[in-house]
Amino acid sequence: MAEFTETGAARPRRSCLYMPGTNARAHEKAKTLAADVLIFDLEDSVAPDAKEAARAQVSAAIAAGGFGRREIVVRVNAMGTPWAEADLRAAAASGVHAVVLPKVAGPDQVRAAGDLLDAEGAGARLWAMVETARAVLCAPEIAAAHSRLVLFAMGLEDLAKELHAEIDGARTNLLYALERSLLAARAHGLGAIDAVYPAFTDDAGFAAACAQGRGLGFDGKQVIHPRQIAPANAAFAPSAAAISEAKAIIAAFAEAAGKGQHVAVLDGRMVEALHAAEAQRVVDFAAAIAALEGEPTA
Ligand code: COA
Ligand code: MG
């Protein structure tokens, strides 16, 4: 499996594609797809009587490799289920980049999973799914629970089910959960990935959801179908216009700094150090995407 270094928010995770752990065709197909992240799922897309077989199949697929530059992730079954420990041990042994812990109910579960990975001597990082009422309410404690934790992944389908909510187009009724989780993630230096959009043939709805997630501050989108990859990659990458604007901001601030000033003006707008820093993040992220896309895909 390709090695990569964690660069926090700069590691592109624009599109995180789920594949049922038992779907060999999807695992093969993924080698040709432009997803930044591949998530082999052992949880809700796998029937209870297929859990053991899926675990073995996923470990074998990861060991066989061929996924090139893509970040490889396994979603295990939730802590407290009969499969969680064996899933975590198998994921640790397979050398995956990260393990997704679903239906997190509190910080103790993240600590227990992280400690188990520590004991196994695994290199895997942890992602926590925020998809229960408890997880939203104790998101700050979960975000600080273990040093392996690098990211929150939103799960709005499970959350809506628990709340008895109906997800509307603009997700207004779930905005509090999205924003609270994002605040907790950023306060603890974590990445944050927006929820899946299940209606995978609804291109306009998907684009709107991506634009909303991007605007809120999410790093990328969990996706379920190849058709959603290109639009997610586009939505969560800085546009050409955003990159040139960022470069202009950096240049304007550097010019002012050269004259001993700490405030610049660009096109009638004030530019301060914080704007230059954010512009630098945009330029660095664009460079990380270009570097990733320049790597071999298989
Ligand atoms: N990963 C990789 N390839 C996928 C894929 C996925 N998630 N979903 C579909 N494909 C492939 C199919 O294999 C097919 O390729 P092929 O014709 O070369 O074999 C192509 O994309 C078109 O698939 P399509 O016929 O449109 O989809 P489908 O009806 O077979 O499957 C789903 C639809 C929703 C069942 C399927 O996309 C899926 O299983 N998604 C992931 C579900 C999941 O993991 N859920 C858990 C997290 S929420
Ligand atoms: Mg879920």
Side-chain angles (χ1 to χ4, degrees), residues 90-196:
S94 73
V96 281
H97 296 126
V99 172
V100 188
L101 206 59
K103 299 192 180 66
V104 169
D108 289 355
Q109 292 189 341
V110 173
R111 264 192 292 276
D115 290 350
L116 192 149
L117 292 175
D118 287 348
E120 296 290 304
R125 299 169 185 85
L126 262 179
W127 294 15
M129 289 204 69
V130 180
E131 57 180 346
T132 66
R134 279 172 183 269
V136 174
L137 291 175
C138 62
E141 291 77 24
I142 294 172
H146 202 281
S147 57
R148 282 182 188 265
L149 187 70
V150 295
L151 191 147
F152 274 177
M154 300 308 302
L156 293 187
E157 300 299 308
D158 275 295
L159 185 62
K161 167 178 164 276
E162 190 179 349
L163 299 179
H164 307 170
E166 290 165 14
I167 304 181
D168 63 52
R171 303 192 292 182
T172 39
N173 45 1
L174 293 163
L175 270 181
Y176 173 73
L178 287 167
E179 292 183 354
R180 181 177 166 85
S181 306
L182 188 72
L183 281 163
R186 296 301 192 219
H188 292 276
L190 306 184
I193 306 294
D194 199 359
V196 298

Side-chain angles (χ1 to χ4, degrees), residues 17-20 25-26 29 33 41 45 75 200 224-226:
L17 176 70
Y18 281 101
M19 302 166 297
R25 173 65 199 145
K29 178 103 178 167
L33 301 172
D41 185 32
S45 68
R75 183 167 79 172
F200 62 84
I224 54 161
H225 191 276

Side-chain angles (χ1 to χ4, degrees), residues 193-263:
I193 306 294
D194 199 359
V196 298
Y197 189 81
F200 62 84
T201 58
D202 174 9
D203 297 335
F206 183 70
C210 284
Q212 185 194 33
R214 169 70 200 85
L216 286 167
F218 285 97
D219 302 316
K221 190 96 178 136
Q222 295 164 79
V223 302
I224 54 161
H225 191 276
R227 178 173 176 148
Q228 296 180 321
I229 295 171
N233 284 351
F236 287 92
S239 65
I243 296 167
S244 27
E245 193 191 328
K247 287 180 176 165
I249 289 171
I250 293 165
F253 189 74
E255 193 188 327
K259 296 182 208 152
Q261 293 160 2
H262 212 56
V263 187

